[in-house]
Amino acid sequence: MAVAVKGDYQLALEEQKTEVRNHVLAGLEQIKEGKTKDFNSVCDRLENKYKNEAI
């Protein structure tokens, strides 16, 4: 049972990492497209979104 729980945890962790990477890349695209003038505002939005996410 411990192996299954560890495997589920690892899978969930990898999915979260992928999701965060995708959001960061989306934020960078917004900057490139001129949709935001300040990189810090993009980072702040991402930080606020994920700061209180359940792990």
Side-chain angles (χ1 to χ4, degrees):
M1 169 113 171
V3 174
V5 171
K6 185 176 180 181
D8 290 343
Y9 173 77
Q10 287 294 87
L11 180 62
L13 185 61
E14 289 303 317
E15 288 174 357
Q16 286 179 347
K17 286 180 182 180
T18 301
E19 186 177 336
V20 169
R21 283 187 205 110
N22 289 337
H23 284 291
V24 169
L25 291 173
L28 292 173
E29 281 300 314
Q30 287 178 354
I31 291 169
K32 289 178 186 176
E33 294 171 0
K35 292 183 179 178
T36 182
K37 302 286 187 228
D38 185 15
F39 181 72
N40 288 333
S41 67
V42 173
C43 293
D44 289 343
R45 279 188 285 140
L46 289 170
E47 183 178 359
N48 287 334
K49 183 174 183 175
Y50 290 102
K51 185 186 295 182
N52 295 322
E53 282 286 317
I55 295 177

